[in-house]
Amino acid sequence: MSTIDEVPAPARALRKDAARNRELLLAAAREVFGERGLDASLDDVARRAGVGVGTAYRHFANKYELAGAIFKQEVDEIAAIAADGLRHDDPWLGLVQFLESTLEAQTVNRGLREVLMGVHDAELEAEVHHLLAGPIIALVERAQAAGAVRLDAAPTDLGAMIMMLCVVADVAAEAEPRLWRRYLPILLAGLRPDGPALPVPPLADDVMRKAMSSHKQRLAQVTAQR
Amino acid sequence: MSTIDEVPAPARALRKDAARNRELLLAAAREVFGERGLDASLDDVARRAGVGVGTAYRHFANKYELAGAIFKQEVDEIAAIAADGLRHDDPWLGLVQFLESTLEAQTVNRGLREVLMGVHDAELEAEVHHLLAGPIIALVERAQAAGAVRLDAAPTDLGAMIMMLCVVADVAAEAEPRLWRRYLPILLAGLRPDGPALPVPPLADDVMRKAMSSHKQRLAQVTAQR
Amino acid sequence: MSTIDEVPAPARALRKDAARNRELLLAAAREVFGERGLDASLDDVARRAGVGVGTAYRHFANKYELAGAIFKQEVDEIAAIAADGLRHDDPWLGLVQFLESTLEAQTVNRGLREVLMGVHDAELEAEVHHLLAGPIIALVERAQAAGAVRLDAAPTDLGAMIMMLCVVADVAAEAEPRLWRRYLPILLAGLRPDGPALPVPPLADDVMRKAMSSHKQRLAQVTAQR
Amino acid sequence: MSTIDEVPAPARALRKDAARNRELLLAAAREVFGERGLDASLDDVARRAGVGVGTAYRHFANKYELAGAIFKQEVDEIAAIAADGLRHDDPWLGLVQFLESTLEAQTVNRGLREVLMGVHDAELEAEVHHLLAGPIIALVERAQAAGAVRLDAAPTDLGAMIMMLCVVADVAAEAEPRLWRRYLPILLAGLRPDGPALPVPPLADDVMRKAMSSHKQRLAQVTAQR
DNA sequence: TATGAATGAGAGTTCATTCAT
DNA sequence: AATGAATGAACTCTCATTCAT
């Protein structure tokens, strides 16, 4: 095949040791950012990974690119879960399964929880939206078409619900990681055709995205750091 | 009265100018932290207040104590709202009114929103709990006694609901500050005696408090900054 | 007078200790930059001055502002010398005296020498030009009007001559600080009405300025650093 | 010839590919250092050469040795020019031609200009001196013997003149690369037997060399970088 | 008591040089 | 011999906190 190309791979594969360090860094970042937040220093991440800071900078242009790389992985998982839900025979159960699986996944994965709570930077936010918007819309519309979801519900309602449950899950992460299950039925009941009247219309898709993008900025104001 | 302020009063009241500086600092902190978060420097707060940094340190042991002082004020407002709710003729409406007023208040007050989302340090958390736990328990039990709230509901459920709605409100603060009203009826319906079954028991009061205390630490992980 | 102004001085005078530190910093910077170049770190400058780095940053926005502050002082001295030359009875001797005094001054002042060699950043360059262009032009034109300087000479020729002599002085600073005096008469002879023909026209004033501004950039390429 | 390169030749010639890499590196360094100065990183040089950094270190002990290797080549060219001048029929014209050719050469070669301005490290300086001292002395003495140059002139005067003109050329490199020609006749006139009196004796040969060696260190002080 | 100058640890980032592949 | 990943010291700049004025 490659009789012409002297240079074998255009998108260079990582050397074995480099690949290992990259993984070490991602794992360490997941841990360190998990424990002390994005305010933790890259020095700390590198130390935990057992490599020099310089190595971190060889793999990631800066701190935020490293953080983004982590969260990208988490979101991919969720997108896969949504796709599963779409394949379920019963549209309603497919949607419920998506919610449960998603929440279940974030229970054991703080990074994921954070992403779903919308607490992140603009670039990642856009990527998250790009990956998840389609499947979520499909899930909701499919359930609406089947008469399982009230017609005035919007895909962004699902996003809001995930967010709400994630906060509960996050707050109670250590005390009772299953606490979100207490509020899931309540929210699901509200999604049904006979749910209570909703006085305010839902957020449009892109408005929701922008809102979550700026949310992280507002949270930053609050979060104590030491 | 205390015109001769050289006389060391037993429980020394603040000199008039000192008291004024304290207020200036609190006001400035509310503004500055509100705009740029706790990451804003104390120099900025002091400059906005029109006093020197040293003055800030005379009044508050450190940055976080100043921040705490602000949020304390916000919580006092909420406690007052709860007391109002308890005086309502209809226990259910009193509870609903408390929720609405609380949420309404945080709509225009970021600091309050933050506190209600549990995004703060342990000391403040304890204080918040001390102030709010009593009234909230009373509100719920009074409504339960009147048959307006399901018996397996717990006061901590109210806390969880406030938290959930606050996150919605916070995320949508700019896009649609009333968005929380869309999800309030849903959550309220779940609180009624005929609400859907709840698979997981509520958190005990003190467990909830500890959970929220550590939440802020976890959120810190996430918050991107730039 | 200041019955209205509560705040006494609009252009705040420096506190005594702050003023002292500022001087310490300038002196240290002159030394450290003098020995190891602008590549020396501000930490080193601060250490030499006996203050913390933070203090350096309180007084000067960044490293280059500090460097600029130093060189500004040197140029002021030269401007004063030029003014002296203009007051001399004999226009030619005034000009010669300006050259000699200037070169003499830079003999004992490296910073000055550097500025006169045109080795500096754009902002400072502009300031230098602003301060010196006028007096130099006046010196030359006055001497030309008196028939003491050839008519095809330009003020920029004086600049070029200073530069040339400064380089000699700089190179020989330790070996023989008076070496520039060997080449001064040669260059002066060329400036007389009967000097040799000059095949290339002089640089216009602003062109000379721009040229010197970019010179520093080119030298930066060369200068070894450790 | 040496088709079997496994055979360890006594004075090991470079393998063909190694030799090629060496040239690539020199060419790249000339470009990169020329554009962005010695502050450019070796990574950049290596990237431009299309080889790994490691390869650069196989060929040159460190960054400065690579820089030195480049400038060595430039000086060789000048030595050749001096030899040409010595072959000229008219000693005076030979000397003038040397000056003109040398200056002309540096006009289009920044590296050369830098070396001639004495802006480099001690080792290179010694080498430059070793290569150029002889021919220059010969040029001057030959012209003196022919009565074309004043007897109190010294070979180091020629060095000083080159330096002076180089600085002019360097400063005006972009604005008017021929500007040095304006000052050449002036300096040449001073070299003639009837030039103006020179109040200070010339530098001895080795003193001049040492002076230039330390000059580079002093220039480093100045060079702003941004 | 108020001020704001001073401090210095620590953050993010770069790069000369080494060394495993 | 060549590669480029890894290292870690060094640099600029910020800011919570202290302390001389």
Side-chain angles (χ1 to χ4, degrees):
Chain A
M1 262 123 233
S2 63
T3 38
I4 293 172
D5 263 11
E6 287 299 64
V7 181
R12 307 270 292 109
L14 239 35
R15 234 210 263 167
K16 205 166 47 193
D17 55 345
R20 189 169 153 278
N21 277 342
R22 193 171 204 281
E23 290 316 313
L24 285 174
L25 278 165
L26 285 170
R30 205 140 30 212
E31 281 179 36
V32 172
F33 287 157
E35 287 160 18
R36 313 218 309 282
L38 256 190
D39 288 343
S41 80
L42 259 206
D43 269 291
D44 286 330
V45 173
R47 185 156 38 247
R48 177 89 60 119
V51 305
V53 226
T55 304
Y57 278 93
R58 165 168 290 274
H59 288 283
F60 305 96
N62 56 51
K63 189 171 165 174
Y64 301 101
E65 194 174 299
L66 170 54
I70 292 169
F71 302 131
K72 172 75 169 60
Q73 299 182 333
E74 325 286 9
V75 174
D76 280 341
E77 294 175 29
I78 292 297
I81 292 174
D84 283 350
L86 277 173
R87 281 193 294 270
H88 200 291
D89 292 332
D90 182 333
W92 171 252
L93 291 182
L95 190 150
V96 172
Q97 177 195 292
F98 164 68
L99 280 176
E100 287 192 323
S101 303
T102 298
L103 270 300
E104 190 59 57
Q106 56 81 44
T107 291
V108 295
N109 186 332
R110 179 168 6 247
L112 186 48
R113 201 151 65 230
E114 291 164 352
V115 173
L116 296 177
M117 284 190 293
V119 187
H120 278 290
D121 81 339
E123 255 178 78
L124 179 61
E125 212 54 55
E127 195 150 359
V128 170
H129 191 259
H130 174 67
L131 287 170
L132 296 185
I136 287 184
I137 291 174
L139 278 170
V140 171
E141 291 186 343
R142 184 163 166 255
Q144 284 175 320
V149 163
R150 57 197 292 172
L151 292 176
D152 60 350
T156 58
D157 288 332
L158 217 59
M161 285 166 137
I162 291 176
M163 228 167 45
M164 288 191 268
L165 293 171
C166 273
V167 170
V168 169
D170 197 46
V171 165
E174 270 136 37
E176 169 51 284
R178 295 172 65 250
L179 189 64
W180 59 271
R181 290 186 183 276
R182 183 172 174 85
Y183 304 100
L184 176 60
I186 295 180
L187 289 168
L188 282 179
L191 213 56
R192 287 300 207 165
D194 54 350
L198 304 176
V200 174
L203 243 43
D205 208 49
D206 56 336
V207 176
M208 182 69 160
R209 180 159 70 82
K210 271 183 213 146
M212 292 179 66
S213 281
S214 57
H215 180 217
K216 67 105 210 333
Q217 201 162 341
R218 255 170 286 131
L219 260 180
Q221 297 158 19
V222 169
T223 314
Q225 65 187 356
R226 118 143 166 145
Chain B
M1 276 88 278
S2 61
T3 37
I4 306 165
D5 61 2
E6 285 307 271
V7 176
R12 197 72 156 75
L14 280 174
R15 245 170 47 180
K16 208 165 42 192
D17 55 345
R20 189 167 157 279
N21 277 344
R22 194 172 202 280
E23 290 315 311
L24 285 173
L25 278 164
L26 285 170
R30 201 141 33 216
E31 281 179 36
V32 172
F33 289 156
E35 287 160 18
R36 313 217 307 283
L38 257 190
D39 288 344
S41 79
L42 258 206
D43 268 74
D44 286 331
V45 173
R47 186 154 39 245
R48 177 91 59 120
V51 305
V53 227
T55 305
Y57 277 92
R58 171 162 297 274
H59 288 284
F60 305 95
N62 58 48
K63 189 172 166 175
Y64 301 101
E65 194 174 299
L66 170 54
I70 292 167
F71 302 130
K72 169 77 167 57
Q73 299 183 331
E74 325 284 10
V75 174
D76 279 342
E77 295 175 30
I78 292 297
I81 292 174
D84 282 352
L86 277 173
R87 283 191 294 271
H88 200 289
D89 292 333
D90 181 335
W92 171 252
L93 290 182
L95 189 150
V96 172
Q97 178 195 289
F98 164 66
L99 279 177
E100 286 191 324
S101 303
T102 299
L103 269 299
E104 191 59 57
Q106 56 82 42
T107 291
V108 294
N109 186 329
R110 185 181 347 261
L112 186 49
R113 200 153 65 230
E114 290 163 352
V115 172
L116 295 176
M117 283 190 295
V119 187
H120 279 288
D121 79 343
E123 260 178 74
L124 178 60
E125 213 53 54
E127 197 150 0
V128 170
H129 191 260
H130 174 67
L131 287 169
L132 295 186
I136 286 183
I137 290 174
L139 276 170
V140 171
E141 292 186 343
R142 183 165 167 254
Q144 282 175 322
V149 163
R150 58 196 295 172
L151 293 176
D152 60 350
T156 57
D157 287 332
L158 218 59
M161 286 163 100
I162 291 176
M163 228 168 42
M164 288 191 266
L165 293 172
C166 272
V167 170
V168 169
D170 196 49
V171 165
E174 269 136 38
E176 168 52 287
R178 296 173 65 250
L179 189 63
W180 59 272
R181 290 186 182 276
R182 183 171 173 87
Y183 303 102
L184 176 61
I186 294 180
L187 290 168
L188 283 178
L191 212 58
R192 287 300 206 162
D194 54 347
L198 303 176
V200 173
L203 242 42
D205 210 49
D206 57 335
V207 177
M208 184 69 160
R209 181 162 68 81
K210 271 184 214 145
M212 291 180 67
S213 280
S214 57
H215 181 217
K216 68 104 209 344
Q217 197 163 344
R218 256 169 287 129
L219 258 180
Q221 301 152 20
V222 166
T223 315
Q225 65 187 355
R226 143 151 140 125
Chain C
M1 266 130 224
S2 61
T3 38
I4 293 172
D5 263 11
E6 285 301 63
V7 180
R12 308 272 288 108
L14 238 36
R15 235 211 262 165
K16 205 166 46 192
D17 55 345
R20 189 170 152 276
N21 276 340
R22 193 172 205 280
E23 289 316 312
L24 285 174
L25 277 164
L26 284 170
R30 204 140 29 214
E31 281 178 37
V32 172
F33 289 156
E35 286 160 19
R36 314 218 307 282
L38 255 191
D39 288 344
S41 79
L42 259 206
D43 269 289
D44 286 330
V45 173
R47 185 156 37 247
R48 177 90 60 119
V51 304
V53 225
T55 304
Y57 279 94
R58 165 168 290 274
H59 287 282
F60 305 95
N62 56 52
K63 190 171 164 175
Y64 302 100
E65 194 173 298
L66 170 54
I70 292 169
F71 302 131
K72 172 76 170 59
Q73 299 181 331
E74 326 286 10
V75 174
D76 280 341
E77 296 175 28
I78 292 297
I81 292 175
D84 283 350
L86 277 173
R87 281 192 293 270
H88 200 290
D89 293 331
D90 181 335
W92 171 251
L93 291 181
L95 189 151
V96 171
Q97 176 196 292
F98 164 67
L99 280 175
E100 287 192 323
S101 303
T102 298
L103 271 298
E104 191 59 57
Q106 55 82 41
T107 291
V108 294
N109 186 332
R110 186 181 346 260
L112 187 48
R113 201 151 65 229
E114 291 164 352
V115 172
L116 296 176
M117 283 190 293
V119 187
H120 279 289
D121 81 339
E123 255 179 79
L124 178 61
E125 212 54 55
E127 195 149 1
V128 170
H129 191 259
H130 175 68
L131 287 169
L132 295 186
I136 287 184
I137 292 174
L139 277 170
V140 171
E141 291 185 344
R142 184 163 166 256
Q144 283 175 320
V149 163
R150 55 197 294 172
L151 292 176
D152 60 351
T156 57
D157 287 332
L158 217 58
M161 286 164 120
I162 291 175
M163 228 168 43
M164 289 190 269
L165 293 171
C166 273
V167 172
V168 169
D170 196 48
V171 165
E174 269 135 36
E176 168 53 284
R178 296 173 65 251
L179 189 63
W180 60 271
R181 289 187 182 277
R182 183 170 172 87
Y183 303 100
L184 175 61
I186 294 180
L187 289 168
L188 283 178
L191 211 56
R192 287 300 208 161
D194 54 349
L198 304 176
V200 174
L203 243 42
D205 209 48
D206 56 336
V207 177
M208 183 69 162
R209 181 160 70 82
K210 271 183 215 146
M212 292 179 65
S213 280
S214 56
H215 182 217
K216 66 105 210 331
Q217 201 163 342
R218 256 168 288 131
L219 259 180
Q221 297 159 19
V222 169
T223 314
Q225 65 186 357
R226 114 153 164 134
Chain D
M1 311 283 112
S2 62
T3 39
I4 307 166
D5 62 2
E6 284 307 273
V7 178
R12 198 69 157 79
L14 280 175
R15 246 170 44 178
K16 209 164 42 190
D17 56 343
R20 190 166 156 279
N21 277 344
R22 193 171 203 281
E23 289 315 312
L24 285 174
L25 278 164
L26 285 170
R30 200 141 33 214
E31 281 178 35
V32 172
F33 288 155
E35 287 161 19
R36 314 215 308 282
L38 257 190
D39 287 344
S41 78
L42 258 206
D43 268 75
D44 285 331
V45 173
R47 187 155 36 246
R48 177 90 61 118
V51 305
V53 227
T55 306
Y57 278 92
R58 171 163 295 276
H59 287 284
F60 305 95
N62 58 49
K63 189 171 166 174
Y64 301 101
E65 194 175 300
L66 169 54
I70 292 168
F71 301 130
K72 168 76 167 60
Q73 298 182 332
E74 326 283 11
V75 173
D76 280 341
E77 295 175 30
I78 293 298
I81 292 173
D84 283 350
L86 277 174
R87 281 193 294 271
H88 199 291
D89 292 334
D90 182 334
W92 172 250
L93 291 183
L95 189 150
V96 172
Q97 177 195 291
F98 164 68
L99 278 177
E100 287 192 322
S101 303
T102 298
L103 270 299
E104 192 59 56
Q106 57 80 43
T107 292
V108 294
N109 187 330
R110 188 183 342 264
L112 186 49
R113 200 152 65 230
E114 290 163 352
V115 172
L116 295 175
M117 282 190 295
V119 186
H120 279 288
D121 78 344
E123 260 178 74
L124 179 61
E125 212 53 55
E127 197 152 0
V128 170
H129 191 259
H130 175 67
L131 286 169
L132 294 186
I136 287 184
I137 292 174
L139 276 170
V140 171
E141 292 185 343
R142 184 165 167 255
Q144 283 175 319
V149 164
R150 57 199 291 174
L151 292 176
D152 60 350
T156 57
D157 287 333
L158 217 58
M161 287 163 105
I162 291 176
M163 227 167 44
M164 288 191 266
L165 294 171
C166 273
V167 171
V168 169
D170 196 50
V171 165
E174 268 136 39
E176 168 52 285
R178 296 172 65 250
L179 188 64
W180 60 271
R181 290 185 183 277
R182 183 171 172 88
Y183 304 102
L184 176 60
I186 294 180
L187 289 168
L188 283 178
L191 213 56
R192 287 300 208 164
D194 54 349
L198 303 177
V200 174
L203 243 43
D205 210 48
D206 56 335
V207 177
M208 183 70 160
R209 181 161 70 81
K210 271 184 215 145
M212 292 179 67
S213 281
S214 57
H215 182 217
K216 68 104 209 338
Q217 198 163 342
R218 257 169 286 130
L219 259 180
Q221 300 152 22
V222 166
T223 316
Q225 64 188 354
R226 141 156 141 124

